[in-house]
Amino acid sequence: MNLGAPEILILLSFVVLFAAAIAAVAITRATRGGTPSRLPRPASPQELDARVRHLAATGQPIHAIKLLRQHTGMGLKEAKDAVDGLAHGRPIRHPALQPHPTPPSVAAVQPAGHTADLAARVRALKRDGRTEQAVFLVRGETGMDHDEATAFVDSVRDGTATTPAGDR
């Protein structure tokens, strides 16, 4: 075989490109070891919140969104809005990120003028003809989306139709 300078250069170029491709694959695999999908499940809501904030602060919003979706069940838009809100100083509001959600049967400490029962507050708003405010209240306190909150508000009886006229 007679190999001249051009053939040797071409062969050497292929060897260098092959080595560079192998190095790129190795680097990609090494950096993916720290992505959220390979991390163990967060031990607490605070740890999940801290991881999401860290990813967002270090320029990895896609990983932050993915982590939120995996561990909270948020939709894509909801998770993206939450991560974008971190840049503006807004907290992530989702039931899965609350440290110890209070069961509905346990009365929580409320500001003056509020009753502990969400359904009771929804009933009061519905009686006053403020159904949309009731939906916003449910969304803010539970993290439900608009359709879920509307279904909840619709399912809460206002208290006026539950007592038959003859039973009074």
Side-chain angles (χ1 to χ4, degrees):
M1 285 174 78
N2 290 334
L3 292 178
E7 289 86 8
I8 292 174
L9 261 169
I10 291 172
L11 188 57
L12 188 58
S13 297
F14 281 119
V15 169
V16 168
L17 285 173
F18 184 70
I22 290 174
V25 168
I27 290 171
T28 302
R29 286 186 180 169
T31 58
R32 283 194 181 162
T35 60
S37 61
R38 297 191 187 242
L39 291 175
R41 182 160 183 83
S44 67
Q46 294 85 2
E47 183 182 343
L48 176 60
D49 185 66
R51 283 188 197 171
V52 169
R53 288 177 186 282
H54 173 74
L55 289 168
T58 57
Q60 301 178 57
I62 293 172
H63 293 301
I65 292 167
K66 183 178 179 182
L67 185 67
L68 266 177
R69 294 190 70 208
Q70 285 176 343
H71 297 291
T72 64
M74 283 183 172
L76 179 60
K77 182 178 181 344
E78 186 181 11
K80 182 187 179 308
D81 290 345
V83 170
D84 290 345
L86 290 175
H88 301 327
R90 291 190 298 265
I92 300 172
R93 299 210 186 277
H94 192 274
L97 294 176
Q98 302 309 314
H100 300 288
T102 306
S105 61
V106 177
V109 177
Q110 297 288 330
H114 286 274
T115 61
D117 185 20
L118 178 61
R121 288 182 278 155
V122 167
R123 260 186 230 101
L125 287 169
K126 284 178 69 173
R127 270 194 305 266
D128 294 343
R130 298 170 48 197
T131 305
E132 195 58 36
Q133 283 88 356
V135 172
F136 288 128
L137 172 70
V138 171
R139 289 185 70 188
E141 292 201 10
T142 66
M144 291 181 184
D145 66 22
H146 185 77
D147 294 336
E148 293 170 329
T150 301
F152 176 81
V153 169
D154 290 344
S155 72
V156 173
R157 294 189 175 172
D158 64 5
T160 59
T162 58
T163 306
D167 291 347
R168 290 188 186 158

